[in-house]
Amino acid sequence: MVAAAHGSRAEKLGFTAGMVVQELGWDDDTDDELRADIEDVVGAEMLDEDSDDVIDVVVLWWREGDGDLVDALMDAIGPLADDGYVWVFSPKTGTDGYVDPAEIAEAAPTAGLTQTSAMNLGDWSGSRLVQPKARTPKRP
């Protein structure tokens, strides 16, 4: 498989086989090739918002006008594993639904997340948000 030799977009985003991925905010405009690539790499379909599973990665498709990003991020992190993370995908600069990267950067800490990277994905941009590392309990 040629794509695997060069690393697929999903692999570059950190997706690996066996991950449990939840998808939020799907609509007609989402990048179906990226969605298929993620499902191919993890080896399963992405779960929807009704899933009760513990999630490794949340894929959040977010557009201007979708509502309050902080609220959406708070909802997204509820089922996340301790080392889980969120990819926020938003339309690229200058296209319909474009979200200013500063909006994502400002919403992340309010939701208890830290932005670690950003990636251009063609018609979409991705922002990777992680939970702070759990503090080691103090010894008595």
Side-chain angles (χ1 to χ4, degrees):
M1 182 164 58
V2 175
H6 295 97
S8 69
R9 288 192 297 169
E11 289 168 327
K12 289 177 183 171
L13 291 168
F15 292 94
T16 58
M19 281 184 157
V20 178
V21 181
Q22 182 177 45
E23 180 181 42
L24 305 173
W26 178 91
D27 207 340
D28 294 340
D29 63 346
T30 54
D31 184 334
D32 287 335
E33 286 182 22
L34 178 57
R35 293 179 74 247
D37 194 22
I38 291 169
E39 290 179 341
D40 285 348
V41 169
V42 301
E45 289 185 8
M46 289 188 276
L47 305 175
D48 64 18
E49 64 274 358
D50 296 327
S51 172
D52 290 333
D53 291 14
V54 174
I55 307 298
D56 295 312
V57 183
V58 172
V59 168
L60 175 61
W61 300 95
W62 193 259
R63 304 148 200 86
E64 186 63 40
D66 278 355
D68 186 318
L69 181 55
V70 173
D71 287 346
L73 290 172
M74 295 294 287
D75 291 343
I77 63 175
L80 269 183
D82 290 343
D83 59 348
Y85 55 93
V86 178
W87 270 107
V88 177
F89 296 142
S90 59
K92 72 177 183 180
T93 305
T95 59
D96 279 350
Y98 162 72
V99 176
D100 190 319
E103 183 179 332
I104 297 169
E106 290 170 13
T110 305
L113 299 166
T114 303
Q115 183 171 341
T116 59
S117 60
M119 186 175 242
N120 180 342
L121 300 165
D123 290 338
W124 291 81
S125 298
S127 297
R128 186 177 189 261
L129 309 178
V130 301
Q131 302 173 95
K133 297 288 182 222
R135 292 196 177 106
T136 306
K138 293 181 181 176
R139 294 183 185 182

